[in-house]
Amino acid sequence: EVYNNATINSKPIDYKNFDSNKDGYVDGVWFIFNAGTTYEVFNLRYYWAYTSWMMNTKANINKPTFSTFANCSQIFLYEAEESNGQDAHTIIHETGHMMGLDDYYTYDKNVHFSSSGGKMMMDNNIGDHDAFSKFALGWITPKLVTKEEEISLKSFGKSGDALIISSDFVGNAFDEYLII
């Protein structure tokens, strides 16, 4: 129903405008629903924010279809103290999933730490996406460091400057290296 009846300024949506890679699928759809002001109603917990993929849809280049979607209750927009509904960390995290990033935290209930120390968006919903995530998504091209040298970096948040330190890096984000 949403797909067939959605409009922008009362005009039907041309979904080709939302298929940037021209693969026949809308790049991603967000559903944010109004669920009140608490996480529980009638002793039932609200749906947790999540991202999913509709695997049974067929690509259509002329009328791209929905495939990747995420949803969350509007309550997530108010999680930060005094956010006034502008807390976007859940949306940023779930959009990371829409683009292909996994969670970086462990699902093992016996482990109480993560490889990033909880300081990454895909780990503990902290800040912006980190250098590894942005490199994996193709958003930045870190400078490769293979020998001792002096390097100046601008603020990562403003410039995307990052370093990869490795003696045998092959250019793949999923290789073995240190990224700063």
Side-chain angles (χ1 to χ4, degrees), residues 97-108:
H97 289 313
M98 291 173 88
M99 293 184 287
L101 299 175
D102 286 331
D103 286 320
Y104 298 162
Y105 52 81
T106 181
Y107 289 91
D108 184 339

Side-chain angles (χ1 to χ4, degrees), residues 144-147 164-172 175-178:
L144 177 60
V145 178
T146 59
K147 61 183 177 17
I164 286 183
I165 301 171
S166 176
S167 59
D168 58 355
F169 181 67
V170 296
N172 184 319
D175 196 359
E176 188 170 330
Y177 56 87
L178 174 65

Side-chain angles (χ1 to χ4, degrees), residues 30-49:
W30 260 101
F31 296 102
I32 299 175
F33 55 92
N34 184 358
T37 58
T38 66
Y39 284 114
E40 293 188 4
V41 171
F42 305 116
N43 295 319
L44 298 173
R45 189 167 184 174
Y46 285 159
Y47 292 105
W48 196 249

Side-chain angles (χ1 to χ4, degrees), residues 121-138:
M121 175 50 70
M122 297 310 292
D123 182 358
N124 198 26
N125 291 0
I126 302 295
D128 188 8
H129 287 290
D130 57 277
F132 167 74
S133 298
K134 289 184 178 187
F135 177 48
L137 292 169

Side-chain angles (χ1 to χ4, degrees), residues 77-78 83-89:
L77 304 176
Y78 291 88
S83 68
N84 298 319
Q86 298 177 27
D87 180 356
H89 78 270

